[in-house]
C-alpha cells in the first residue's frame, strides 16, 4: 500500500517526538504539521518546493520543555486557530513545567499561560492528549486536557478574554488516567466526548445541550475497565451511517465498538483487528482514494498494521513500506500536504531512542476524490462538524477531527475517495449547532471550503 517518501522531509533530525497536529500556522490557507519535541525543539513542517521544510517560529520551537500532545482550534473567534501544546515531564500526577497555549498577537506567538493573569489556572498535572471542544456549538472552542493522575481540564476564554478552567462547570472534571480523546457528534447532534483511560474504565460524556455533560460509558458498554487505552478513532466502520469507535489498547485486545440505533455499543472487532499490540495512534482514512477507508495502527517497537474492509469484515492488507518493524512509533497524522488530493501519512518516533520522522503515501492512482472544509461563523476550521457525501454507489460520513485520538490531531478536512465514481449527488454539512447546508452535484477532484451560512 504505502511507498516511503521520507526523503521529502527536508529538515528531519533524529530526536524524541510525540504528537502531531495539522493546522494553518502561517495563515496562507494551507495546512502545516506541528510536531511535538520531547526535550527537543517542536517542529513546524510546511510543503515548500516539493518537500516538507521547517518554518518553525522561535516561540513555538520551545526546545527546553517536554511536549507530547498537540491540538489546534479557534478559541477567541478571530478566525485563526490557537495552538495547545501539552508538556509532560513526569509519568503521572504533579509535573514541573506547565503546558503552552499559543495565540497570535500582532504576528507573534504568545503563550497565554505565561501571562500573570493566568498563573492560577495553568495545568501542572501530567497529561497525554488534548482536544478541541465547542460544548455550546457557537464556533468558539475550548481545549480539553486528558490528564493522568488528575482531573480532566477544560480551558475556555471568558467574555473578557481571561482563561478559565470550566471542567467543573461542564461536569467533566473526572479524575482520570487519560490517554485518548475524541470529540464529535457521537450520541447527539453536538460534541460528545470519549476518553480512553489507562488502568481504569473509559469515559463517554453525553452532551446535554446546555453546556454540561453526563457520563454514560458503562451504560453504553464502552467502559472496558480492565484495559489500557491508547489510540482511538471514530468513523463509520460498518457503513450504516453512524459513528463507531475503534480503541487500541496497549498490549491488550483492541476494540471496535459498533453503535446501534436503540442500545449500547457492541465490540465487534474481528480476530485479526482484535490482536493485541503496542499501539499508539490509530487512523481511519481513505489513503488510496478507492472509496474505502483503511485503518492504520501505529505501534511502538513492533511492526505497524493496516486493515481494509473486505466482504463485510476488517482484514489485514499489505502495508508496504510503512511496516516499520524497528520503528519507535509515538504518533501519526494524515494530511494532503502537497495538494494533489491524496493523503500523506506522517509518523513520529521516540520515547526510548531518537529517530527521525517518516513520511508515506500510496502510489498515484486515477481515482477521484473530494475534500470538504467547513468553516465556523468566524472563518476558522469547524472542528467537530459532520460532512456526509452521497453518490449513486454509497453514502459516507466524516467528522472534522477535533483531536486527540492519542496525542495527535488530523487535518480539519473531510476527505472522501471516490474510486472511479465521478457523480456526486450531494454533500451535506452539519455544524455543531444543528445548522445544515446541502450542496447539490459538486464536481469531484476539488477542495470545497464551506462557510457557515450568513
Amino acid at each position: 500500500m504505502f511507498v516511503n517518501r521520507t526523503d521529502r522531509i527536508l529538515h528531519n533530525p533524529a530526536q524524541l517526538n510525540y504528537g502531531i497536529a495539522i493546522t494553518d500556522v502561517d495563515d496562507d490557507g494551507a495546512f502545516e504539521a506541528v510536531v511535538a519535541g520531547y526535550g527537543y525543539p517542536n517542529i513546524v513542517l510546511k510543503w515548500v518546493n516539493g518537500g516538507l521544510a521547517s518554518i518553525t517560529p522561535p516561540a513555538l520551537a520551545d526546545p527546553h520543555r517536554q511536549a507530547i500532545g498537540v491540538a489546534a482550534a479557534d478559541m477567541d473567534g478571530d478566525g485563526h486557530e490557537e495552538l495547545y501544546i501539552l508538556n509532560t515531564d513526569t509519568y503521572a500526577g504533579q509535573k514541573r513545567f506547565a503546558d503552552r497555549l499559543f495565540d497570535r498577537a500582532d504576528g507573534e506567538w504568545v503563550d497565554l499561560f505565561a501571562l500573570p493573569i493566568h498563573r492560577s489556572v495553568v495545568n501542572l498535572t501530567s497529561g497525554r492528549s488534548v482536544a478541541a471542544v465547542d460544548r455550546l456549538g457557537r464556533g468558539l472552542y475550548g481545549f480539553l486536557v486528558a490528564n493522568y493522575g488528575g482531573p480532566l481540564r477544560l480551558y475556555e476564554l471568558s467574555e473578557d478574554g481571561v482563561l478559565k478552567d470550566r471542567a467543573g462547570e461542564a461536569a467533566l472534571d473526572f479524575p482520570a488516567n487519560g490517554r485518548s480523546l475524541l470529540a464529535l457528534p457521537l450520541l447527539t447532534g453536538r460534541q460528545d466526548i470519549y476518553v480512553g483511560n489507562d488502568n481504569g474504565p473509559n469515559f463517554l460524556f453525553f452532551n446535554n445541550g446546555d453546556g454540561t455533560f453526563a457520563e454514560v460509558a458503562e451504560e453504553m458498554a464502552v467502559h472496558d475497565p480492565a484495559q489500557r487505552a491508547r489510540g482511538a478513532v471514530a468513523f463509520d466502520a460498518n457503513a450504516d451511517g453512524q459513528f463507531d469507535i475503534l480503541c487500541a489498547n496497549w498490549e491488550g485486545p483492541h476494540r471496535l465498538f459498533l453503535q446501534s440505533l436503540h442500545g449500547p455499543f457492541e465490540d465487534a472487532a474481528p480476530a485479526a483487528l482484535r490482536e493485541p499490540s503496542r499501539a499508539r495512534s490509530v487512523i481511519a482514512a481513505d489513503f488510496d482514494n478507492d472509496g474505502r477507508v483503511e485503518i492504520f495502527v501505529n505501534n511502538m517497537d513492533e511492526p505497524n498494521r493496516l486493515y481494509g474492509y473486505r466482504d463485510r469484515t476488517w482484514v489485514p492488507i499489505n502495508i508496504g513500506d510503512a511496516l516499520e518493524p524497528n520503528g519507535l512509533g509515538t504518533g501519526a497524522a494524515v494530511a494532503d500536504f502537497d495538494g494533489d488530493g491524496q493523503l500523506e501519512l506522517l509518523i513520529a518516533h521516540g520515547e526510548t531512542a531518537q529517530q527521525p520522522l517518516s513520511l508515506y503515501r500510496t502510489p498515484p492512482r486515477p481515482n477521484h476524490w473530494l475534500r470538504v472544509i467547513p468553516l465556523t461563523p468566524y472563518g476558522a476550521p469547524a472542528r467537530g462538524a459532520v460532512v456526509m457525501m452521497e453518490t449513486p454507489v454509497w453514502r459516507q460520513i466524516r467528522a472534522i477531527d477535533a483531536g486527540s485520538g492519542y496525542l495527535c490531531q488530523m487535518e480539519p478536512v473531510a476527505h472522501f475517495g471516490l474510486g472511479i465514481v465521478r457523480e456526486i449527488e450531494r454533500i451535506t454539512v452539519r455544524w455543531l449547532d444543528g445548522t445544515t447546508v446541502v450542496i447539490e452535484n459538486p464536481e469531484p477532484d476539488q477542495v470545497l471550503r464551506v462557510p457557515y451560512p450568513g
Side-chain angles (χ1 to χ4, degrees):
M1 170 72 76
F2 290 107
V3 175
N4 194 332
R5 300 291 298 275
T6 303
D7 62 336
R8 298 298 183 96
I9 305 177
L10 306 180
H11 175 71
N12 197 15
Q15 61 179 53
L16 302 181
N17 292 315
Y18 276 91
I20 303 170
I22 310 298
T23 183
D24 184 1
V25 172
D26 58 2
D27 289 333
D28 68 346
F31 297 116
E32 290 79 47
V34 181
V35 183
Y38 190 83
Y40 291 83
N42 304 317
I43 303 171
V44 179
L45 294 174
K46 180 180 184 62
W47 191 265
V48 180
N49 298 326
L52 286 172
S54 174
I55 62 161
T56 313
L60 296 187
D62 201 22
H64 303 299
R65 294 204 178 180
Q66 285 119 334
I68 185 167
V70 193
D74 183 11
M75 299 186 76
D76 54 11
D78 66 354
H80 307 291
E81 293 196 306
E82 281 68 54
L83 188 65
Y84 195 110
I85 299 181
L86 194 157
N87 294 292
T88 295
D89 51 62
T90 58
Y91 177 78
Q94 195 77 7
K95 64 185 180 183
R96 293 180 300 152
F97 295 113
D99 300 338
R100 300 289 198 188
L101 178 48
F102 288 107
D103 184 21
R104 272 170 293 201
D106 299 323
E108 300 294 329
W109 289 93
V110 176
D111 177 19
L112 298 182
F113 281 133
L115 302 179
I117 196 172
H118 297 143
R119 287 175 182 166
S120 63
V121 297
V122 296
N123 182 38
L124 288 174
T125 304
S126 173
R128 293 299 183 274
S129 290
V130 55
V133 173
D134 176 11
R135 57 192 173 114
L136 293 171
R138 300 177 300 167
L140 298 173
Y141 292 87
F143 286 105
L144 181 68
V145 182
N147 282 326
Y148 195 101
L152 301 170
R153 286 185 171 242
L154 177 63
Y155 289 105
E156 296 178 346
L157 285 174
S158 65
E159 291 184 0
D160 55 357
V162 177
L163 278 175
K164 304 287 186 181
D165 176 11
R166 296 276 174 72
E169 174 186 314
L172 290 172
D173 57 339
F174 280 47
N177 292 333
R179 291 287 185 171
S180 49
L181 288 171
L182 299 172
L184 74 157
L186 191 64
L187 304 173
T188 70
R190 298 182 182 270
Q191 268 184 305
D192 308 298
I193 299 167
Y194 172 85
V195 183
N197 284 312
D198 185 13
N199 288 323
N202 303 323
F203 303 145
L204 181 59
F205 293 102
F206 179 100
N207 192 321
N208 292 320
D210 59 359
T212 68
F213 294 82
E215 206 288 305
V216 296
E218 185 170 5
E219 175 185 342
M220 299 304 292
V222 297
H223 58 308
D224 207 17
Q227 298 304 321
R228 306 179 65 188
R230 289 299 189 271
V233 63
F235 68 112
D236 184 3
N238 57 352
D240 68 350
Q242 298 183 95
F243 288 111
D244 310 300
I245 300 172
L246 171 63
C247 180
N249 291 309
W250 179 260
E251 297 182 331
H254 304 326
R255 308 297 193 191
L256 180 58
F257 295 118
L258 298 183
Q259 187 171 184
S260 64
L261 284 173
H262 305 293
F265 288 75
E266 177 185 359
D267 179 18
L273 184 59
R274 181 183 297 267
E275 183 180 352
S277 70
R278 298 169 63 86
R280 306 306 288 252
S281 294
V282 294
I283 296 172
D286 188 349
F287 290 102
D288 57 4
N289 285 342
D290 69 348
R292 298 179 295 184
V293 166
E294 292 83 39
I295 297 172
F296 172 77
V297 180
N298 179 31
N299 290 316
M300 168 168 276
D301 206 20
E302 67 177 65
N304 298 324
R305 299 177 185 176
L306 189 68
Y307 299 89
Y309 196 60
R310 306 289 186 269
D311 299 322
R312 297 190 177 185
T313 191
W314 291 95
V315 298
I317 59 176
N318 182 14
I319 195 172
D321 291 345
L323 184 69
E324 293 196 346
N326 300 311
L328 300 172
T330 50
V334 292
D336 178 15
F337 291 114
D338 58 6
D340 67 350
Q342 195 162 325
L343 295 173
E344 284 82 43
L345 171 65
L346 182 66
I347 303 178
H349 310 89
E351 187 155 312
T352 58
Q354 300 97 322
Q355 289 185 343
L357 304 166
S358 53
L359 182 70
Y360 301 95
R361 63 166 292 164
T362 61
R365 291 175 171 84
N367 292 332
H368 299 290
W369 51 272
L370 184 72
R371 291 167 57 77
V372 183
I373 307 176
L375 303 176
T376 69
Y378 310 100
R383 295 189 183 268
V386 173
V387 182
M388 178 185 297
M389 181 187 71
E390 296 175 77
T391 76
V393 180
W394 56 62
R395 181 178 65 178
Q396 300 183 42
I397 58 170
R398 303 280 191 271
I400 304 301
D401 192 66
S404 164
Y406 182 55
L407 310 179
C408 301
Q409 186 187 52
M410 308 302 129
E411 61 173 1
V413 183
H415 179 94
F416 298 98
L418 290 164
I420 62 172
V421 175
R422 286 194 56 87
E423 181 184 353
I424 304 171
E425 294 178 337
R426 68 189 56 85
I427 292 290
T428 303
V429 178
R430 187 179 75 245
W431 282 265
L432 293 171
D433 64 355
T435 299
T436 300
V437 164
V438 177
I439 301 171
E440 301 285 353
N441 304 121
E443 290 294 318
D445 305 326
Q446 65 166 319
V447 178
L448 284 177
R449 292 181 181 267
V450 185
Y452 185 87

